Amino acid sequence: MQFMLLFSRQGKLRLQKWYVPLSDKEKKKITRELVQTVLARKPKMCSFLEWRDLKIVYKRYASLYFCCAIEDQDNELITLEIIHRYVELLDKYFGSVCELDIIFNFEKAYFILDEFLLGGEAQETSKKNVLKAIEQADLLQESEDEYLSVKIFK
Amino acid sequence: MPAVSKGDGMRGLAVFISDIRNCKSKEAEIKRINKELANIRSKFKGDKALDGYSKKKYVCKLLFIFLLGHDIDFGHMEAVNLLSSNKYTEKQIGYLFISVLVNSNSELIRLINNAIKNDLSSRNPTFMCLALHCIANVGSREMAEAFASEIPRILVAGDTMDSVKQSAALCLLRLYKTSPDLVLMGEWTSRVVHLLNDQHMGVVTAAISLITCLSQKNPDEFKTCVSLAVSRLSRIVSSASTDLQDYTYYFVPAPWLSCKLLRLLQCYPPPEDGAVKGRLVECLETILNKAQEPPKSKKVQHSNAKNAILFEAISLIIHYDSEPNLLVRACNQLGQFLQHRETNLRYLALESMCTLASSEFSHEAVKTHIETVINALKTERDVSVRQRAADLLYAMCDRSNAKQIVAEMLSYLETADYSIREEMVLKVAILAEKYAVDYSWYVDTILNLIRIAGDYVSEEVWYRVIQIVINRDDVQGYAAKTVFEALQAPACHENMVKVGGYILGEFGNLIAGDPRSSPLVQFNLLHSKFHLCSVPTRALLLSAYIKFINLFPETKSTIQEVLRSDSQIRNSDVELQQRAVEYLKLSSIASTDVLATVLEEMPPFPERESSILAKLKKKKGPGAVSVSELEEGKREGGELNGGSDRGADTAAMAASNASTPSPQADLLGLRSTAPVGSAAPSAGSLLVDVFSEAGPATPSAAVNDDGFLSSAPPSEDPAPPLSEADELLNKFVCKNNGVLFENQLLQIGIKSEYRQNLGRMYLFYGNKTSVQFASFTTTVSCPGDLQSHILYMQEHFVEPLVEGGAQVQQVLNIECLTDFCDAPLLNIKFRYGGALQNLTLKLPVTINKFFQPTEMASHDFFQRWKQLSQPQQEAQKIFKANHSMDTEVLKAKLLGLGTALLDNVDPNPENYVCAGVIQTKNQQVGCLLRLEPNAQAQVLSHTHTHTHTHTHTNLYSCL
């Protein structure tokens, strides 16, 4: 995967993750172009489209669009399910996630994504394992003083 | 309540985000942001040291502002400070900021790398993962340099936690993608491949992405992964839907891993081992069978996951292209999907069938779906699906169904979306040409194309129809008649006028016998369109008129009158005016014979690859690049015909090119048929290139004062290496960076780095003049047997234009396969003020660059020295030192050579002793070296011994 974008129906970018090196200017240009293209599509249309030399896979969940760019050889359907699994993870973590959760806790959305996808590839597809990692981190936050003295793994 | 309430509610951040959301206008938002930025700046600059929490909060705010789309130019230092915090959340926010806002500020990178290094060695898995995520997210070269050797160790170490392994695998993948030369798997290869057997499904899922990428680049080294992948796949495919617990996704066992396994197998040919192959075929059959079973869930996630595996399996079947049975089954399965109610599946089936159509085993099976596909083209509501249908029709077309498919595509064109029209036109044109049995059908099709979608008919398409008509005399009469009829339409597309003008100008005589299309009628018909046309078309029509004068003497006076009219002969457009003047003069002074010779029928075009096909290929290629290449071509085409050749027999048509800039000159084969004498070498660069074989090009004299330049022949063959090339080369034996070459025009600098048997060289070409260098090309070649099996060089190309005062950079990747003697050659060609500059240098790649220093004690040294004392392992040479033998200078040189300089080894302190290993891909050659300087006579005697014979010679040539 080359990048993932989350944006609202109004075209506001909510999360951006780039797995290839691009300049800020290019990123902005790509975002603008893609947001426009995807928002212009009608609801019943298919979730895939060709864009430049990439394949775009997108899906709308409530007010948010999740949009991934993958390479020619990559599998569209499994990417669609990558999106779905990410939504499930957010949902489970926030408890029935909505756009506001992602706005106010954007850093959490990034942390969850990093546990799930790394370098554009699925790192851990088990929902339990991903959430366990995030919850562990949350526990660390709760009791950081304690943590400092105890947590030394083998 | 969301789990976040547990953590670190950063209240200030939430308040700030709310404020932003409440802003009524863009201006209000910017105002609020600027206020916050000022606040944060003053906090960071303030005297009071900030506590970790505040720092985290402000860094987080900056991040939020950046993600809103504003530029952030401070806060990096504070984020780096957070990295070394002991508090997890602070560290985490620091890493996030770095990941999102990385900036190649080298000072900062050093600090970041330090923090990462600490976390990687902390043995705390949570910290290690954070650090690995950061490397994977940033993936810069500096990070690769710092960590590429450390991460494989973490990945395969027995005591690494699973989650860390997963991160390490993908982190390494990212580094490999950015800096493949720095990630050397070598000894780790087999242990990495065996991660496919790991008990933890998550580890396999992560590792397989890395293995797939490495396999693509080094298939041989990783080929053991095939059998491991097959057995893993087989276990998953045959497992019950609950066996894999949390790795089962909506009743589908491990869909992500399955897809990745099938993808990995596509890096290799079918397994040779019969048992492995049998097992794999079984898996593929099971996957195909499962597609027919009733779904275990109505959820779309279930069918998506299942079908993702199915499509990946079909890709593998197509990749193998060797199992007719599976191919036909795949085709039937896709055929079912063609009528599925899910748009996504119809889309993918059309896409996948496109590749099936090119297999000989399944081509016929694909063809049976033609009606469904045509129907899709007509009825699909989504343009991207219709596009796929059009692609598939194109792919399944052959002689048996060409007429039907072309007809359908033509009728679709009438309503097709603008975005895909041009491509459709190209496809129709190609199919019509490729499968034309009778050429009248071909001519009809192209004229229909122009009629239906004239705006989208590119020049290549109408040039091609003219080429074909000119080359086939059986269709010329028909073509003349058809264009004549087409031109009768009250409104016809300008492209039709162009084709009509051209064809009637050449072959109007073939229909002139019919009084309804007598010469004057033809002329009047053409001329009735004249005033509605653009300048290029008018120019073409003028050329057709002069051809008419030759074909039909009776039209001469009418046409002369037209040419003589003020609107022609005083036309404000120079091109048109010149044509009118010249054609008028030509028609009045030349005798009939001369006229007949000058305006003779066009000779046939040489056969070559269809230019339309080339254009379609370009269109399909990576977007931006191909477009710019095309533009490039257009510009060159424009220059090329800059009004230089005219007045010869082809001039009538050639001249029209002058005002329609495009790569057409090449396309119409004008250059190969044009009389050589008419070429003016002062035109664009291409022209000179082409004619340099036939007639002498005249290089501009402006730069001839430079000794080198005047000696370089302006030919296209690479010049022989400069006489001083060897000397230049010797400068670089002991150093890697510096200026390789310099003259009045050009400076070439070099930076290079070597690591084991790999090297990377950066070449910097500086234009010292204020004038642009055009057609700048560089070619690296390896003379003699250096060519393929000794040194492998991979170059990245440079832009063809180097502006005055500018510098361009080129990267060369070098791999030493075995030892070698000659240096590779670098040829540089460019045009400076029209004159071709051609120079060849030797690239300073010498065998000693691949030295790895080896430290050893005196005892070891002499023991090995003795072991290597057979005649072919030993060599010695006595030579006179060229330079003074200053100890420090000598030491520096020997170190520069790449060996380790060993102190206290040789009993005689005057002597120098060195050891090193030359790393090549095929072998490693250990070298021991002793230098015995003799200060009085300025003579060094010099012995070295090692494991391989002719390396001596090569090494001595370096010394």
Side-chain angles (χ1 to χ4, degrees):
Chain A
M1 187 184 299
Q2 298 220 340
F3 55 84
M4 184 192 255
L5 303 175
L6 264 66
F7 50 88
S8 68
R9 270 165 68 194
Q10 290 75 36
K12 290 229 176 204
L13 193 58
R14 295 302 181 206
L15 184 140
Q16 44 176 319
K17 189 79 190 179
W18 304 85
Y19 297 111
V20 283
L22 291 169
S23 70
D24 284 346
K25 208 174 133 200
E26 276 172 295
K27 288 179 186 171
K28 279 185 183 163
K29 184 161 173 268
I30 291 174
T31 308
R32 212 178 318 121
E33 220 174 283
L34 265 184
V35 168
Q36 224 170 31
T37 312
V38 171
L39 288 179
R41 289 175 63 86
K42 297 190 186 75
K44 285 279 171 186
M45 286 186 164
C46 89
S47 311
F48 320 124
L49 51 125
E50 277 187 338
W51 183 79
R52 300 193 186 171
D53 53 345
L54 297 174
K55 300 196 283 198
I56 302 298
V57 178
Y58 72 93
K59 187 159 180 179
R60 184 177 149 185
Y61 287 86
S63 60
L64 268 189
Y65 283 86
F66 290 69
C67 173
C68 298
I70 56 175
E71 279 152 71
D72 190 44
Q73 293 263 0
D74 295 336
N75 189 314
E76 290 99 337
L77 284 175
I78 209 73
T79 309
L80 210 48
E81 294 319 298
I82 290 243
I83 293 177
H84 187 74
R85 169 87 343 155
Y86 182 47
V87 173
E88 284 184 349
L89 288 166
L90 292 172
D91 199 59
K92 187 97 182 171
Y93 181 77
F94 289 107
S96 153
V97 67
C98 67
E99 194 184 336
L100 278 182
D101 291 320
I102 296 174
I103 296 172
F104 280 94
N105 303 288
F106 65 96
E107 78 282 12
K108 298 286 181 200
Y110 276 98
F111 298 148
I112 295 172
L113 187 59
D114 269 355
E115 291 294 335
F116 175 43
L117 293 181
L118 193 59
E121 298 282 339
Q123 174 178 220
E124 176 55 85
T125 60
S126 151
K127 202 156 55 172
K128 274 186 202 150
N129 288 355
V130 173
L131 290 173
K132 206 165 67 191
I134 296 290
E135 272 156 20
Q136 238 170 17
D138 279 339
L139 281 178
L140 289 185
Q141 289 172 193
E142 277 199 326
S143 51
E144 253 162 358
D145 296 333
E146 191 187 341
Y147 157 82
L148 276 178
S149 55
V150 180
K151 291 278 184 209
I152 299 296
F153 291 71
K154 65 165 177 171
Chain B
M1 221 15 226
V4 276
S5 60
K6 298 183 211 164
D8 55 331
M10 282 182 277
R11 215 180 144 262
L13 176 67
V15 170
F16 174 59
I17 296 176
S18 298
D19 282 1
I20 295 289
R21 288 180 50 78
N22 290 334
C23 285
K24 295 270 185 299
S25 66
K26 193 80 197 156
E27 289 71 38
E29 182 185 310
I30 291 174
K31 210 174 148 202
R32 179 67 185 88
I33 284 171
N34 285 336
K35 186 180 152 205
E36 192 64 36
L37 285 175
N39 173 39
I40 298 173
R41 217 185 284 266
S42 76
K43 295 283 186 202
F44 284 168
K45 278 200 181 139
D47 316 325
K48 210 171 87 203
L50 285 176
D51 59 25
Y53 171 81
S54 314
K55 229 184 257 175
K56 176 180 81 173
K57 184 179 74 188
Y58 293 130
V59 164
C60 221
K61 281 182 180 177
L62 286 178
L63 194 53
F64 181 78
I65 294 171
F66 176 78
L67 291 171
L68 282 177
H70 302 270
D71 293 332
I72 294 295
D73 53 6
F74 69 103
H76 299 77
M77 204 57 208
E78 284 72 15
V80 173
N81 286 342
L82 287 176
L83 295 186
S84 41
S85 161
N86 282 325
K87 295 208 166 140
Y88 180 77
T89 51
E90 290 168 16
K91 196 188 270 293
Q92 200 183 20
I93 294 291
Y95 272 128
L96 180 61
F97 184 93
I98 302 295
S99 300
V100 175
L101 260 134
V102 76
N103 166 320
S104 58
N105 180 331
S106 60
E107 186 57 24
L108 222 48
I109 283 283
R110 210 173 45 78
L111 292 172
I112 296 168
N113 280 355
N114 253 340
I116 291 178
K117 198 166 280 170
N118 286 337
D119 283 335
L120 280 185
S121 53
S122 71
R123 304 181 71 77
N124 172 332
T126 323
F127 285 7
M128 286 171 88
C129 281
L130 272 185
L132 289 167
H133 291 178
C134 179
I135 302 174
N137 283 327
V138 176
S140 69
R141 192 161 174 89
E142 290 88 347
M143 286 195 173
E145 277 162 0
F147 303 109
S149 53
E150 172 66 14
I151 295 169
R153 222 183 300 276
I154 298 177
L155 176 60
V156 298
D159 60 348
T160 306
M161 302 272 290
D162 291 329
S163 60
V164 178
K165 273 190 194 167
Q166 287 165 276
S167 300
L170 292 175
C171 181
L172 199 56
L173 171 62
R174 174 69 194 264
L175 294 185
Y176 185 75
K177 281 184 182 165
T178 34
S179 315
D181 54 316
L182 295 179
V183 178
L184 301 165
M185 295 311 292
E187 50 187 313
W188 311 115
T189 304
S190 132
R191 293 167 76 180
V192 169
V193 170
H194 275 86
L195 289 172
L196 287 176
N197 267 341
D198 201 283
Q199 299 226 311
H200 191 282
M201 294 281 275
V203 172
V204 191
T205 307
I208 192 170
S209 297
L210 173 67
I211 295 169
T212 304
C213 183
L214 291 168
S215 294
Q216 282 166 335
K217 300 281 158 54
N218 328 281
D220 281 345
E221 284 148 58
F222 283 82
K223 64 170 177 259
T224 48
C225 70
V226 172
S227 60
L228 292 178
V230 169
S231 61
R232 190 94 210 193
L233 180 69
S234 164
R235 267 180 284 157
I236 297 173
V237 168
S238 57
S239 64
S241 52
T242 49
D243 285 359
L244 302 173
Q245 292 157 1
D246 210 33
Y247 290 93
T248 295
Y249 179 80
Y250 291 87
F251 304 101
V252 181
W256 284 282
L257 181 53
S258 303
C259 284
K260 285 185 181 191
L261 286 163
L262 288 161
R263 175 84 190 77
L264 169 61
L265 291 170
Q266 288 170 60
C267 302
Y268 290 91
E272 281 160 21
D273 181 331
V276 177
K277 191 173 176 193
R279 209 164 171 198
L280 177 57
V281 168
E282 223 168 84
C283 287
L284 295 172
E285 277 169 349
T286 313
I287 294 171
L288 285 167
N289 291 341
K290 279 190 179 172
Q292 298 299 327
E293 289 170 9
K296 292 195 176 70
S297 153
K298 285 215 170 76
K299 289 255 166 67
V300 66
Q301 283 75 30
H302 171 71
S303 69
N304 278 351
K306 198 165 114 179
N307 291 328
I309 300 172
L310 178 63
F311 276 105
E312 207 59 65
I314 292 177
S315 295
L316 182 62
I317 293 170
I318 297 173
H319 168 75
Y320 287 162
D321 198 14
S322 60
E323 300 284 329
N325 177 33
L326 289 175
L327 280 162
V328 171
R329 280 193 71 183
C331 186
N332 293 340
Q333 181 60 56
L334 294 177
Q336 288 182 17
F337 284 155
L338 284 183
Q339 318 215 34
H340 202 280
R341 60 187 168 79
E342 278 269 329
T343 315
N344 287 346
L345 284 180
R346 295 197 303 275
Y347 176 96
L348 294 174
L350 288 165
E351 187 187 43
S352 187
M353 239 187 208
C354 245
T355 39
L356 265 182
S358 56
S359 162
E360 52 168 325
F361 300 113
S362 49
H363 183 77
E364 287 304 317
V366 170
K367 272 167 63 185
T368 59
H369 299 287
I370 185 166
E371 296 303 331
T372 319
V373 182
I374 287 173
N375 198 40
L377 186 65
K378 286 179 177 159
T379 58
E380 282 290 351
R381 279 191 294 176
D382 184 345
V383 54
S384 37
V385 185
R386 290 197 296 270
Q387 168 86 60
R388 290 283 84 83
D391 285 351
L392 178 53
L393 281 180
Y394 178 75
M396 67 160 73
C397 190
D398 63 17
R399 215 168 278 284
S400 72
N401 56 18
K403 283 201 174 169
Q404 185 189 6
I405 287 180
V406 166
E408 292 295 346
M409 286 172 105
L410 270 176
S411 76
Y412 172 60
L413 252 180
E414 307 209 24
T415 53
D417 312 73
Y418 297 112
S419 56
I420 65 172
R421 280 196 184 185
E422 191 184 354
E423 199 181 318
M424 288 287 292
V425 166
L426 286 174
K427 287 183 162 161
V428 170
I430 289 166
L431 293 179
E433 182 186 336
K434 201 166 162 195
Y435 300 114
V437 186
D438 63 296
Y439 277 86
S440 50
W441 173 70
Y442 169 76
V443 171
D444 284 342
T445 305
I446 302 297
L447 294 185
N448 265 329
L449 265 186
I450 297 178
R451 199 176 297 136
I452 295 168
D455 284 344
Y456 299 89
V457 172
S458 57
E459 284 162 337
E460 284 84 351
V461 173
W462 73 262
Y463 295 154
R464 190 69 188 159
V465 70
I466 284 169
Q467 278 184 19
I468 286 175
V469 170
I470 301 249
N471 286 13
R472 310 204 152 252
D473 37 20
D474 52 332
V475 77
Q476 289 162 354
Y478 180 79
K481 180 167 157 286
T482 322
V483 291
F484 179 78
E485 280 162 12
L487 286 172
Q488 310 277 343
C492 63
H493 195 272
E494 192 166 332
N495 279 337
M496 188 70 89
V497 179
K498 287 179 185 162
V499 175
Y502 200 112
I503 288 182
L504 291 181
E506 293 291 324
F507 310 113
N509 54 333
L510 299 177
I511 56 167
D514 188 326
R516 283 167 300 175
S517 52
S518 70
L520 262 175
V521 175
Q522 286 184 38
F523 171 74
N524 286 333
L525 181 61
L526 280 180
H527 200 53
S528 68
K529 316 283 180 193
F530 189 92
H531 304 282
L532 302 169
C533 291
S534 64
V535 169
T537 310
R538 290 187 191 192
L540 185 146
L541 285 177
L542 288 179
S543 301
Y545 296 171
I546 186 73
K547 288 228 158 188
F548 266 43
I549 292 184
N550 176 46
L551 286 179
F552 317 116
E554 66 266 38
T555 59
K556 182 170 171 176
S557 58
T558 316
I559 292 176
Q560 281 183 331
E561 210 167 298
V562 168
L563 293 175
R564 205 178 287 124
S565 70
D566 277 357
S567 62
Q568 306 298 350
I569 211 154
R570 292 174 190 226
N571 195 297
S572 59
D573 185 272
V574 180
E575 179 64 38
L576 292 180
Q577 189 188 95
Q578 189 167 358
R579 282 188 195 215
V581 171
E582 288 179 6
Y583 293 161
L584 184 61
K585 207 70 188 163
L586 182 69
S587 69
S588 41
I589 59 170
S591 71
T592 332
D593 285 353
V594 171
L595 213 55
T597 315
V598 171
L599 300 170
E600 203 182 353
E601 194 178 294
M602 289 290 281
F605 291 94
E607 284 303 328
R608 59 179 83 191
E609 187 195 26
S610 161
S611 47
I612 323 177
L613 206 58
K615 171 145 186 182
L616 185 69
K617 280 183 196 156
K618 272 190 173 172
K619 248 188 113 57
K620 281 285 176 183
V625 183
S626 69
V627 171
S628 65
E629 269 172 18
L630 212 62
E631 303 289 29
E632 197 74 52
K634 283 192 179 174
R635 255 185 284 124
E636 281 174 347
E639 274 171 36
L640 172 66
N641 289 291
S644 54
D645 52 344
R646 163 155 324 135
D649 64 344
T650 46
M653 293 307 160
S656 70
N657 294 319
S659 15
T660 43
S662 80
Q664 62 191 340
D666 181 48
L667 178 98
L668 285 178
L670 282 169
R671 274 182 275 143
S672 41
T673 54
V676 172
S678 64
S682 60
S685 54
L686 257 182
L687 196 61
V688 184
D689 291 355
V690 167
F691 285 106
S692 60
E693 295 153 46
T698 46
S700 149
V703 284
N704 276 359
D705 53 344
D706 186 295
F708 153 64
L709 289 168
S710 56
S711 67
S715 97
E716 280 299 288
D717 296 327
L722 290 182
S723 51
E724 63 268 35
D726 276 322
E727 201 179 307
L728 296 169
L729 181 71
N730 289 340
K731 286 203 308 198
F732 283 87
V733 167
C734 294
K735 63 176 185 174
N736 287 336
N737 305 329
V739 174
L740 177 66
F741 173 80
E742 186 158 10
N743 68 12
Q744 294 179 4
L745 303 180
L746 180 71
Q747 186 193 54
I748 304 175
I750 278 195
K751 264 174 120 171
S752 48
E753 52 199 57
Y754 293 87
R755 212 184 160 92
Q756 301 191 330
N757 67 322
L758 298 176
R760 168 172 295 213
M761 181 177 280
Y762 297 87
L763 290 161
F764 300 90
Y765 304 98
N767 180 347
K768 291 169 70 180
T769 72
S770 54
V771 182
Q772 187 185 63
F773 291 165
S775 314
F776 191 88
T777 58
T778 64
T779 327
V780 175
S781 61
C782 298
D785 61 353
L786 195 59
Q787 192 90 47
S788 52
H789 47 275
I790 296 203
L791 196 66
Y792 169 69
M793 320 247 339
Q794 180 200 7
E795 48 191 314
H796 296 241
F797 294 101
V798 289
E799 290 287 317
L801 293 179
V802 184
E803 296 299 342
Q807 189 186 57
V808 293
Q809 183 187 342
Q810 183 181 28
V811 186
L812 293 179
N813 286 328
I814 303 163
E815 183 175 8
C816 177
L817 303 178
T818 143
D819 70 330
F820 62 94
C821 179
D822 285 336
L825 299 178
L826 170 70
N827 176 255
I828 300 142
K829 286 203 205 83
F830 60 91
R831 292 189 174 274
Y832 170 72
L836 177 68
Q837 310 294 331
N838 185 346
L839 103 122
T840 302
L841 298 165
K842 289 192 175 179
L843 277 179
V845 181
T846 45
I847 186 71
N848 65 296
K849 299 293 183 196
F850 303 98
F851 248 135
Q852 285 238 306
T854 317
E855 295 288 346
M856 55 178 80
S858 171
H859 173 73
D860 293 338
F861 184 88
F862 283 104
Q863 192 176 11
R864 281 176 205 215
W865 184 272
K866 276 188 205 114
Q867 280 166 0
L868 301 172
S869 56
Q870 282 166 27
Q872 76 272 21
Q873 292 180 325
E874 202 176 334
Q876 79 176 5
K877 200 172 175 182
I878 299 173
F879 54 85
K880 200 164 163 63
N882 292 332
H883 311 284
S884 73
M885 290 198 301
D886 179 76
T887 321
E888 289 311 310
V889 173
L890 250 174
K891 274 189 177 169
K893 287 211 162 174
L894 286 170
L895 282 174
L897 199 60
T899 53
L901 190 58
L902 306 176
D903 286 326
N904 306 325
V905 168
D906 200 290
N908 180 350
E910 296 291 321
N911 290 350
Y912 298 93
V913 173
C914 311
V917 178
I918 294 177
Q919 305 267 355
T920 74
K921 190 175 180 225
N922 299 335
Q923 58 181 356
Q924 302 194 338
V925 185
C927 297
L928 305 176
L929 187 145
R930 184 157 69 165
L931 217 73
E932 300 171 22
N934 174 335
Q936 288 76 35
Q938 295 269 299
V939 170
L940 294 171
S941 81
H942 203 163
T943 318
H944 78 219
T945 96
H946 56 79
T947 46
H948 205 262
T949 337
H950 50 271
T951 315
H952 289 298
T953 342
N954 301 342
L955 205 54
Y956 267 132
S957 65
C958 299
L959 292 166

